[in-house]
Amino acid sequence: MHDRSGRIAVQNLTKQFGPITAVQNLTFAVEPGSVTGFLGPNGAGKTTTLRMLLGLVTPTTGSATINGKSHNGLGNPARVVGSVLENEGFHPKRTARNHLRVYAAAIGVPDQRVDQVLSLVGLTSAADRNAGDFSLGMRQRLALATALLGDPQVLVLDEPANGLDPEGIAWLRTFLRSYAREGRTVLVSSHLLAEVEQTIDQVVIISRGQTMYQGRVDHLRQSQQSRVIVQSSDPNALVTALRKAGVSDVQPTPDGSLALIGSSARQVGDVALAAGVAIYGLHEDSADLEKMFLQLTSGQYAAGQQQPPPPGYGTPPQGWGPPPGGQLPPPGYQQPGRPGPQQGHQGWGGQG
């Protein structure tokens, strides 16, 4: 069944709520066989995009499809896509097992599948406890179990690690990777950038309702030059020696160290040794997902201000070019805003 056909395609997607543009001309694809992170600041349009993908919000223009069809055209959507947009759709007096049996009956799967998904998410021992007594992390696992009932090709998860302890986060990372290795599609929206970086293969970064980057995480990282940070006994003497060795891009840092681009820690150490300069600290500062995310989305809201930036997107931050395997947005956009709250959606396929 899972033949790598669960492709998500978002094409020229726009959503307006009255005068507010929440998503504008958004285009990206999510391929089977990988875990893709869907990242953006608050108000960037992530939740609205996921709601349009799952048929909970109607696009103003454009399309969001799974296997080439809209969510409403999938027949029995639960057999194709499972989703978790929030984990509060539980009757507090209903046990986890009975909650899942209700959903299993609704989508036409046997009760045996209930015990299977309880085992998959580590809730077998809590199956007969009321959902109202569950911790936040346990409710997150129960929501994931609900999404898995139909053995779907596609998983769409919003903040799936929310409430999980470190052991639960490690389990979730392993689970999502193994799920994708079976040829299925996993799309994960998260604010835990350090954690999601350890889980995802691909990333879609949006800001102001537009795509800022899509492609492999390693390609995005390769587009950023790493720095060498060195603390020495005599910075001036070291700078002179480095320039003689052909290292010209040297900048002081606020703590008195030196930051070098286009060099390696070994080269700096060798130059310092030859110049007789003592080294007290030396390390390579490579770009992580958090730093790259902040560079790509830094204009959405100015620090300490409540207004979005003025209209007009010119160029990406300095030093950014089209990374290999990724895409940066075309110049020009119309200032979007943030949509108002939407009514929650109860039922299989995700709650809003």
Side-chain angles (χ1 to χ4, degrees):
M1 175 180 177
H2 305 292
D3 55 0
R4 303 180 68 91
S5 63
R7 185 175 190 266
I8 295 173
V10 172
Q11 187 69 35
N12 300 324
L13 193 64
T14 295
K15 180 60 183 179
Q16 293 179 300
F17 295 91
I20 303 298
T21 302
V23 175
Q24 181 175 321
N25 201 33
L26 189 64
T27 296
F28 65 86
V30 180
E31 303 295 343
S34 65
V35 182
T36 298
F38 187 44
L39 310 180
N42 288 335
K46 300 188 304 300
T47 299
T48 300
T49 300
L50 295 182
R51 287 177 176 275
M52 287 189 281
L53 177 66
L54 297 171
L56 305 177
V57 170
T58 302
T60 303
T61 59
S63 63
T65 61
I66 300 169
N67 287 347
K69 299 179 180 179
S70 68
H71 188 273
N72 295 334
L74 291 175
N76 188 347
R79 296 298 188 100
V80 180
V81 55
S83 63
V84 179
L85 296 190
E86 59 182 45
N87 60 14
E88 300 297 333
F90 312 120
H91 192 292
K93 298 300 184 182
R94 184 172 290 157
T95 66
R97 177 176 279 115
N98 286 338
H99 163 82
L100 291 171
R101 282 176 174 170
V102 169
Y103 280 82
I107 66 175
V109 300
D111 283 350
Q112 298 93 296
R113 180 60 180 167
V114 169
D115 290 325
Q116 291 173 1
V117 297
L118 284 168
S119 176
L120 279 174
V121 303
L123 284 181
T124 298
S125 62
D128 295 316
R129 288 177 53 186
N130 290 340
D133 298 330
F134 278 11
S135 67
L136 177 59
M138 293 174 71
R139 292 200 303 272
Q140 194 76 296
R141 289 176 183 255
L142 182 56
L144 179 58
T146 308
L148 293 171
L149 274 171
D151 194 24
Q153 294 171 297
V154 179
L155 273 181
V156 177
L157 308 176
D158 189 15
E159 301 289 351
N162 187 29
L164 296 180
D165 58 19
E167 181 181 2
I169 290 174
W171 164 81
L172 179 66
R173 183 192 312 138
T174 302
F175 175 81
L176 294 181
R177 285 176 171 174
S178 64
Y179 203 82
R181 280 197 298 269
E182 295 176 1
R184 313 194 207 207
T185 306
V186 180
L187 179 63
V188 179
S189 175
S190 178
H191 288 94
L192 302 176
L193 299 182
E195 168 54 35
V196 79
E197 185 173 15
Q198 301 180 60
T199 306
I200 63 176
D201 312 295
Q202 309 275 341
V203 64
V204 176
I205 299 177
I206 69 171
S207 183
R208 312 178 190 94
Q210 294 183 314
T211 306
M212 305 304 290
Y213 174 85
Q214 66 167 326
R216 292 191 58 84
V217 177
D218 53 359
H219 291 167
L220 178 59
R221 190 177 292 112
Q222 289 166 13
S223 72
Q224 291 291 284
Q225 291 180 299
S226 62
R227 303 187 306 168
V228 174
I229 308 297
V230 56
Q231 186 178 21
S232 68
S233 60
D234 190 341
N236 291 331
L238 181 56
V239 168
T240 300
L242 287 167
R243 286 176 174 164
K244 288 181 180 179
V247 180
S248 58
D249 196 343
V250 182
Q251 301 292 332
T253 65
D255 64 357
S257 299
L258 297 173
L260 298 82
I261 295 177
S263 185
S264 66
R266 173 175 291 186
Q267 181 185 13
V268 174
D270 290 343
V271 169
L273 178 63
V277 178
I279 296 295
Y280 303 139
L282 179 65
H283 70 276
E284 293 194 15
D285 182 26
S286 58
D288 58 24
L289 184 59
E290 181 176 356
K291 292 177 183 176
M292 295 182 289
F293 172 85
L294 291 174
Q295 283 185 290
L296 282 171
T297 64
S298 59
Q300 177 155 340
Y301 298 108
Q305 297 180 0
Q306 298 301 315
Q307 300 102 347
Y313 181 88
T315 58
Q318 185 174 3
W320 280 91
Q327 295 181 7
L328 291 174
Y333 82 104
Q334 183 178 5
Q335 176 182 328
R338 186 174 183 176
Q342 298 296 302
Q343 296 297 318
H345 170 79
Q346 302 296 328
W348 204 100
Q351 300 86 33

